[in-house]
Amino acid sequence: DAKTTQPPSMDCAEGRAANLPCNHSTISGNEYVYWYRQIHSQGPQYIIHGLKNNETNEMASLIITEDRKSSTLILPHATLRDTAVYYCIVRGISSNTGKLIFGQGTTLQVKP
Amino acid sequence: DSGVTQTPKHLITATGQRVTLRCSPRSGDLSVYWYQQSLDQGLQFLIQYYNGEERAKGNILERFSAQQFPDLHSELNLSSLELGDSALYFCASSVGGQGNEKLFFGSGTQLSVL
C-alpha cells in the first residue's frame, strides 16, 4: 500500500472549515484513499473514502487531485467535538485483507 | 456505538502474568482485527481473522496469540507480560475481511502492566 504524508498538527476555529491535506504520491490505480479519525482514546472511526472523484457524506468531503497524488479532507463547519487525530490511509481495493495501516496522522485542534 | 464489543474495558496486572482480551464483532461481520496502541508506537496492526482462519499478520509478538471461535468472537491472549505491553488494545470487524471494506472499531481495552 502507498505511503501517506500528513502534517502532524493543525488548528481550526470553531464554525470554520477544516481542511486536512494528505500526500500520497506513490498511489497506484487500484488504491483508494480512506480517512479515519480517533477522538481521544476512543476507537478509530471511519469518515470517508474515494478513488478519484470527489466524495461527500454527512461527515465530510474528500477532494482528490486529478493526478491522485494528494487529497484534502474537508470538515465544513468544525465543532469542538471534531478535535481528534485524523488518519489518511491508502489501501488496495483488490487486497484480500482489510487491514488498515495507520501512520501518525494529523492532530486537529478545534478552538472556540 | 460501532456494534463491536470489547471486554474488559480496563485490566491491571503484574509483569509475568497472562491475560485474555475478548472481542465480539458486529452482527454479520466475519472478520476481526486486533490493534495495539501505545504512546510511542501509535496504532499497530497485530492480526486479522476471517471466519476462524488467520488472514493477515502484523507485528505480533510471539508471546501474543489470538483466535476466532465458531461464534465469531475473538480472543487475544497476552502472556509473560512486560511493562512495555501496557497499551490500548482495539478490536475491529468488517464483513468479509477484504480491502474494499470499512472497519468498525470497538472502544478498546486499556491494559496496565505494573
Side-chain angles (χ1 to χ4, degrees):
Chain A
D1 294 333
K3 182 177 176 176
T4 62
T5 303
Q6 300 178 251
S9 63
M10 295 182 64
D11 289 343
C12 177
E14 189 177 20
R16 305 298 292 267
N19 296 284
L20 292 93
C22 179
N23 286 318
H24 30 79
S25 58
T26 61
I27 193 170
S28 62
N30 68 344
E31 290 180 319
Y32 274 72
V33 179
Y34 281 80
W35 284 83
Y36 281 73
R37 74 179 181 183
Q38 185 177 24
I39 298 171
H40 180 64
S41 296
Q42 296 180 20
Q45 176 191 25
Y46 167 83
I47 301 173
I48 198 168
H49 74 283
L51 183 63
K52 56 182 178 181
N53 298 317
N54 298 339
E55 302 288 345
T56 296
N57 63 20
E58 66 279 4
M59 289 184 69
S61 294
L62 174 61
I63 309 297
I64 302 174
T65 58
E66 194 165 339
D67 64 6
R68 302 186 68 238
K69 292 184 177 182
S70 66
S71 60
T72 301
L73 178 74
I74 301 172
L75 308 178
H77 306 286
T79 71
L80 298 179
R81 289 183 295 180
D82 292 321
T83 292
V85 180
Y86 288 78
Y87 298 97
C88 170
I89 301 167
V90 170
R91 186 175 73 176
I93 60 171
S94 57
S95 172
N96 72 342
T97 169
K99 68 180 181 183
L100 294 167
I101 302 301
F102 291 84
Q104 296 304 308
T106 296
T107 299
L108 175 68
Q109 182 73 48
V110 180
K111 299 185 174 181
Chain B
D1 182 9
S2 68
V4 178
T5 303
Q6 290 188 247
T7 56
K9 292 192 182 304
H10 302 278
L11 199 49
I12 301 174
T13 188
T15 55
Q17 295 298 305
R18 172 188 169 95
V19 297
T20 298
L21 312 184
R22 182 187 170 101
C23 169
S24 294
R26 289 189 323 154
S27 176
D29 285 358
L30 298 178
S31 194
V32 294
Y33 310 75
W34 286 99
Y35 284 81
Q36 178 192 56
Q37 185 172 34
S38 56
L39 288 175
D40 58 343
Q41 291 290 323
L43 271 161
Q44 298 290 314
F45 168 71
L46 295 179
I47 198 163
Q48 176 196 1
Y49 279 82
Y50 170 75
N51 205 21
E53 299 291 325
E54 183 182 306
R55 172 69 64 88
K57 205 168 187 176
N59 297 325
I60 186 167
L61 298 174
E62 286 191 9
R63 299 184 287 108
F64 296 1
S65 65
Q67 55 183 326
Q68 186 180 24
F69 294 87
D71 67 353
L72 300 177
H73 92 272
S74 178
E75 292 181 356
L76 179 67
N77 299 296
L78 315 176
S79 62
S80 303
L81 285 167
E82 303 175 359
L83 296 177
D85 298 326
S86 295
L88 256 174
Y89 291 83
F90 289 106
C91 171
S93 73
S94 71
V95 174
Q98 300 294 314
N100 61 346
E101 298 172 4
K102 303 173 194 175
L103 268 59
F104 295 86
F105 286 79
S107 57
T109 293
Q110 177 69 61
L111 173 66
S112 299
V113 182
L114 305 178

